[in-house]
Amino acid sequence: MHHASIVLFGVGGVGGALIRQIVQNRAHHATEYDLALPILAVCDRDGAVVTLDDAIDDATLLNIVDFKANKGRLANYSQGGPQHDLAAVIDIAARPHTIIVDCTATETTVPALLTALERGYRVVLANKKPLTIQQEVYDRLTRAGETADGHAPRQMTATRWETTCGAGLPVIATLNRLIASGDSVSRIAGAFSGTLGFVMTGLQQGRRFSEVVREAHQLGFTEPDPRDDLGGVDVARKALILARGLGWRIEMEQASITGLYPPEMTGLSVTAFLDALPSLDAHFQQMVDEAAAQGKVLRYVATVADGGCVVGPQTVDAASPLGQLRGADNLVEFHTRWYHPTPLVLQGRGAGVDATAAGVLSDIVELALSK
Amino acid sequence: MHHASIVLFGVGGVGGALIRQIVQNRAHHATEYDLALPILAVCDRDGAVVTLDDAIDDATLLNIVDFKANKGRLANYSQGGPQHDLAAVIDIAARPHTIIVDCTATETTVPALLTALERGYRVVLANKKPLTIQQEVYDRLTRAGETADGHAPRQMTATRWETTCGAGLPVIATLNRLIASGDSVSRIAGAFSGTLGFVMTGLQQGRRFSEVVREAHQLGFTEPDPRDDLGGVDVARKALILARGLGWRIEMEQASITGLYPPEMTGLSVTAFLDALPSLDAHFQQMVDEAAAQGKVLRYVATVADGGCVVGPQTVDAASPLGQLRGADNLVEFHTRWYHPTPLVLQGRGAGVDATAAGVLSDIVELALSK
């Protein structure tokens, strides 16, 4: 039986779903892969539950998930026990074949992740932040195992970050396969926001921008402040991860981001912002009409091409994969030497805690079986 | 520098393109992956070119590709040298970290492939035949490393066969990721024939069946005998590989295959078959009309569901990914627990020697880096 021990950073929606899926799939992993995935430590920003035995038992793990779902802090769950920062947890808990899994949404995990890689542990990231700060951090996280002569081999083995772009869709795996084959990727174009896909589909159906955004907000499809989606920064992070995945050296500040609201609406309260939305309706109506006049449709697109990332509303051919997309699904087109004139396309749910956790679990199993 | 030595079976279109791509990407693989892919042996059904040194030199390799492209036989190329069968080539050429690459289209390679796996070498298949004969052969090829206690672990490491289904599209990789995560796949539906996609698109455009098939034949989109495409057997092989990839135990004889011509046209010469095609026009016109009356469209679909494989013309929702497909691209829908109600979709070129060879090369690089 192979053992890959898990140290989990972050027990929010994705981390909690991951724990449930690991527990539910223990028999499946044992039967199909001869694989055990004991969990050694579970950490949030306030504390950690750490075992010095082989594994935290499953009943405790599921208790922790329930506790966290009720907005508990692990510092309170493990009260009485010593509190550890993430680096200390690695010192205490990790052992050979440990995989550190980062399901947080903060860059503060970076020092612990780098320490883990230096010690020969492996890393799975659902967290985009560590990969979208400085290029040098990206390099260290994704190219662990650099050789003495300065080669920076694309290892594909020590770190996985499939779910940082399109959740469970195999976007990074596909990109890595294209690069491994020496295919030449000229352009990646994608719709990476379910929320903005919902908005764009509504506009195409003739609805007013204000109406669609308010509905998305009421249905909980947007962040509590819808500008967190409409601004495009989260989409730009995904584009940056793809650009860096192509081997380009590029910083977030170099990405061109056009949001769906003007800068002067940044300072408003959420309520005032929602009230002010109708002032944008005519603008978007005009954009949709102009696109339609050319036989095109409006999409919120991330384009990775010519060394740069461009994120914003864009007209695309109605008959193209992006043009045919409806609703909240993500879609990615890879335009390459061998995928021309039609691109290689991935499409499907690009968010959600279960689909994302399932993608993280795939990364874990692949890493666990790779040695 | 990592070394993974290659023994290549088959130097037809895909094998030749693979040799070219390996040679063209030597600097890329060295720089990006610290990886060298020396080729130790190249074999066709008649003979082999084998080196006892580190590698066959690149000039010789490219000569072999040109020689084979002119319908040469390796028995003549290597004249004077001893001739070896495939098993003997493995004995002579293979060394640690060897990868046997099967780019033939025959099941006669199976004994040599099994010998190679028993010795701890790894295998990449572009060849569907070994995976679509008896279930027991599939098991031995894909589950090398079975444990003593009868566990049959899904290793995902000793053998790769990505290009047997959808060429370079990451169909098998996606399936393996879904299974690794414990996601439950309820149905896979795909269009796996560019030729039949071309025919179905033509029908949807209102063209006569006979006209579209004859055009496809004239353009070289079909096999020399178009019944080799229209019969659906090649599509069924791909469906069987997916079904077995789900863990189902199923034989080719259990697949339900409906071809696009009736059995009584089997005995005709190719010319007589092409002449007789108009007799089928009314039948297909009726099918297209009936589909349209329900708001649907006709596609040639492989469905893997409920423990079986069903291959044939099928009506699908016009708004579904399969319904929106046009032309010769392949498309696969994975309907799963987490990809519901909309499926996970892959789309793009599903044939062609360069796209297929690129997929084989991705498999090689992944295997080479996995240890």
Side-chain angles (χ1 to χ4, degrees):
Chain A
M1 181 79 91
H2 306 282
H3 286 253
S5 304
I6 308 298
V7 169
L8 176 62
F9 295 170
V11 201
V14 173
L18 176 65
I19 289 174
R20 280 189 205 281
Q21 291 185 18
I22 287 174
V23 169
Q24 286 164 356
N25 282 293
R26 291 213 185 281
H28 170 64
H29 288 142
T31 307
E32 293 290 329
Y33 304 93
D34 204 29
L35 177 65
L37 297 174
I39 299 181
L40 302 178
V42 175
C43 320
D44 68 10
R45 76 182 66 184
D46 296 312
V49 178
V50 180
T51 179
L52 299 178
D53 302 325
D54 283 344
I56 304 172
D57 67 89
D58 284 351
T60 302
L61 288 170
L62 297 176
N63 270 337
I64 291 170
V65 175
D66 289 340
F67 179 82
K68 286 292 298 182
N70 293 313
K71 309 289 181 195
R73 299 164 55 190
L74 287 186
N76 295 331
Y77 183 92
S78 56
Q79 57 193 345
Q83 296 308 312
H84 311 289
D85 65 16
L86 298 181
V89 169
I90 291 175
D91 278 338
I92 297 165
R95 50 207 70 174
H97 307 298
T98 293
I99 301 175
I100 317 298
V101 181
D102 184 352
C103 294
T104 71
T106 164
E107 65 191 67
T108 60
T109 57
V110 167
L113 297 173
L114 293 175
T115 300
L117 287 168
E118 280 161 15
R119 294 188 190 172
Y121 305 134
R122 285 165 291 169
V123 165
V124 173
L125 296 166
N127 177 7
K128 288 185 283 292
K129 294 276 175 66
L131 298 175
T132 52
I133 55 175
Q134 300 91 320
Q135 176 76 50
E136 183 247 344
V137 174
Y138 175 94
D139 293 343
R140 291 175 66 193
L141 286 171
T142 61
R143 298 197 158 198
E146 190 159 329
T147 54
D149 63 352
H151 265 134
R154 219 178 255 277
Q155 288 282 354
M156 309 203 312
T157 52
T159 308
R160 302 278 171 131
W161 58 99
E162 185 55 81
T163 57
T164 58
C165 195
L169 299 179
V171 179
I172 307 291
T174 300
L175 182 61
N176 282 341
R177 284 187 61 87
L178 293 172
I179 294 170
S181 76
D183 196 359
S184 168
V185 179
S186 57
R187 184 162 64 94
I188 305 171
F192 288 114
S193 163
T195 310
L196 299 180
F198 179 86
V199 172
M200 290 297 154
T201 300
L203 290 178
Q204 189 174 348
Q205 291 166 341
R207 300 178 67 197
R208 289 190 305 277
F209 180 74
S210 58
E211 177 194 357
V212 183
V213 172
R214 284 172 184 167
E215 185 190 24
H217 185 250
Q218 279 168 1
L219 292 171
F221 291 176
T222 69
E223 297 291 322
D225 184 340
R227 284 167 292 194
D228 291 345
D229 296 296
L230 299 173
V233 173
D234 191 61
V235 171
R237 283 192 208 285
K238 298 174 185 179
L240 188 73
I241 288 170
L242 291 177
R244 288 177 168 179
L246 283 169
W248 301 352
R249 305 191 68 74
I250 178 172
E251 300 292 344
M252 190 69 181
E253 296 72 34
Q254 297 169 260
S256 162
I257 310 174
T258 305
L260 294 183
Y261 63 91
E264 56 266 29
M265 291 174 74
T266 304
L268 302 177
S269 71
V270 171
T271 307
F273 175 76
L274 291 168
D275 286 345
L277 280 173
S279 66
L280 304 177
D281 286 346
H283 168 69
F284 283 106
Q285 185 62 54
Q286 186 185 352
M287 287 182 79
V288 168
D289 290 346
E290 285 176 3
Q294 305 167 47
K296 299 195 171 190
V297 292
L298 196 66
R299 293 288 179 266
Y300 198 86
V301 179
T303 304
V304 177
D306 304 321
C309 300
V310 178
V311 173
Q314 190 184 314
T315 56
V316 302
D317 284 336
S320 71
L322 274 169
Q324 292 187 320
L325 181 67
R326 300 286 182 280
D329 273 358
N330 282 14
L331 187 148
V332 197
E333 300 176 353
F334 294 92
H335 297 264
T336 80
R337 179 175 177 192
W338 305 132
Y339 292 95
H340 176 83
T342 60
L344 192 167
V345 179
L346 302 177
Q347 181 179 344
R349 181 194 304 272
V353 296
D354 278 313
T356 307
V360 171
L361 188 46
S362 300
D363 278 357
I364 291 171
V365 172
E366 284 187 15
L367 273 182
L369 297 180
S370 71
K371 290 200 199 187
Chain B
M1 181 80 90
H2 307 280
H3 286 254
S5 303
I6 307 298
V7 170
L8 176 62
F9 296 169
V11 201
V14 173
L18 176 64
I19 289 175
R20 281 189 203 281
Q21 290 184 18
I22 288 175
V23 169
Q24 285 163 358
N25 281 293
R26 291 215 184 279
H28 171 64
H29 288 142
T31 307
E32 293 291 328
Y33 304 93
D34 205 30
L35 176 65
L37 297 174
I39 299 181
L40 302 178
V42 175
C43 319
D44 67 11
R45 76 181 65 184
D46 296 312
V49 178
V50 180
T51 179
L52 299 178
D53 302 326
D54 283 344
I56 304 173
D57 67 89
D58 283 351
T60 302
L61 288 169
L62 297 176
N63 270 337
I64 292 170
V65 174
D66 288 341
F67 179 82
K68 287 291 297 182
N70 292 313
K71 309 290 181 195
R73 299 163 56 190
L74 287 187
N76 295 330
Y77 183 92
S78 56
Q79 57 192 347
Q83 295 308 313
H84 311 289
D85 66 15
L86 298 181
V89 168
I90 291 174
D91 278 338
I92 297 166
R95 49 207 71 173
H97 306 299
T98 293
I99 302 175
I100 317 297
V101 181
D102 185 352
C103 293
T104 72
T106 165
E107 65 191 67
T108 61
T109 57
V110 167
L113 297 173
L114 292 175
T115 300
L117 287 168
E118 280 162 16
R119 296 189 188 171
Y121 305 133
R122 285 166 290 170
V123 165
V124 174
L125 297 166
N127 177 6
K128 288 185 282 290
K129 295 276 175 65
L131 297 174
T132 52
I133 56 176
Q134 300 91 321
Q135 176 76 49
E136 182 247 344
V137 174
Y138 175 93
D139 292 343
R140 290 175 68 194
L141 286 172
T142 62
R143 297 197 159 198
E146 193 158 328
T147 54
D149 64 351
H151 263 135
R154 219 177 255 277
Q155 288 282 355
M156 309 202 313
T157 52
T159 308
R160 302 279 171 131
W161 59 97
E162 184 56 80
T163 56
T164 58
C165 194
L169 298 179
V171 178
I172 308 290
T174 299
L175 182 61
N176 282 341
R177 285 186 61 88
L178 292 171
I179 294 169
S181 76
D183 196 359
S184 168
V185 179
S186 56
R187 185 162 64 93
I188 305 172
F192 287 115
S193 163
T195 309
L196 298 180
F198 179 86
V199 171
M200 291 296 154
T201 299
L203 290 178
Q204 189 174 347
Q205 291 165 341
R207 301 178 65 195
R208 291 191 304 278
F209 180 73
S210 58
E211 177 194 359
V212 182
V213 172
R214 285 171 184 169
E215 185 189 27
H217 185 250
Q218 279 169 0
L219 292 170
F221 291 176
T222 69
E223 297 291 321
D225 184 340
R227 284 167 293 193
D228 290 346
D229 297 296
L230 298 173
V233 173
D234 191 62
V235 171
R237 282 192 209 285
K238 298 174 186 180
L240 187 73
I241 288 170
L242 291 177
R244 287 178 168 179
L246 282 168
W248 300 351
R249 305 191 68 75
I250 179 171
E251 300 292 344
M252 190 69 181
E253 296 71 34
Q254 297 170 260
S256 161
I257 309 175
T258 305
L260 294 183
Y261 63 92
E264 55 267 29
M265 291 174 75
T266 304
L268 302 177
S269 70
V270 171
T271 306
F273 175 76
L274 291 169
D275 286 345
L277 281 173
S279 65
L280 304 176
D281 286 347
H283 168 69
F284 283 106
Q285 184 62 53
Q286 186 185 351
M287 288 183 78
V288 168
D289 290 346
E290 285 177 4
Q294 304 168 47
K296 298 195 172 191
V297 293
L298 196 65
R299 294 287 180 267
Y300 198 86
V301 179
T303 304
V304 178
D306 304 320
C309 301
V310 179
V311 173
Q314 190 184 313
T315 56
V316 302
D317 284 335
S320 71
L322 274 170
Q324 292 187 319
L325 181 67
R326 299 288 182 281
D329 272 357
N330 282 14
L331 187 148
V332 196
E333 300 176 353
F334 294 92
H335 296 262
T336 80
R337 179 174 179 193
W338 304 132
Y339 292 95
H340 176 81
T342 60
L344 193 167
V345 179
L346 302 177
Q347 182 179 343
R349 180 195 303 275
V353 296
D354 278 312
T356 307
V360 171
L361 188 46
S362 300
D363 278 356
I364 291 171
V365 171
E366 284 186 16
L367 273 183
L369 297 179
S370 72
K371 290 199 197 185

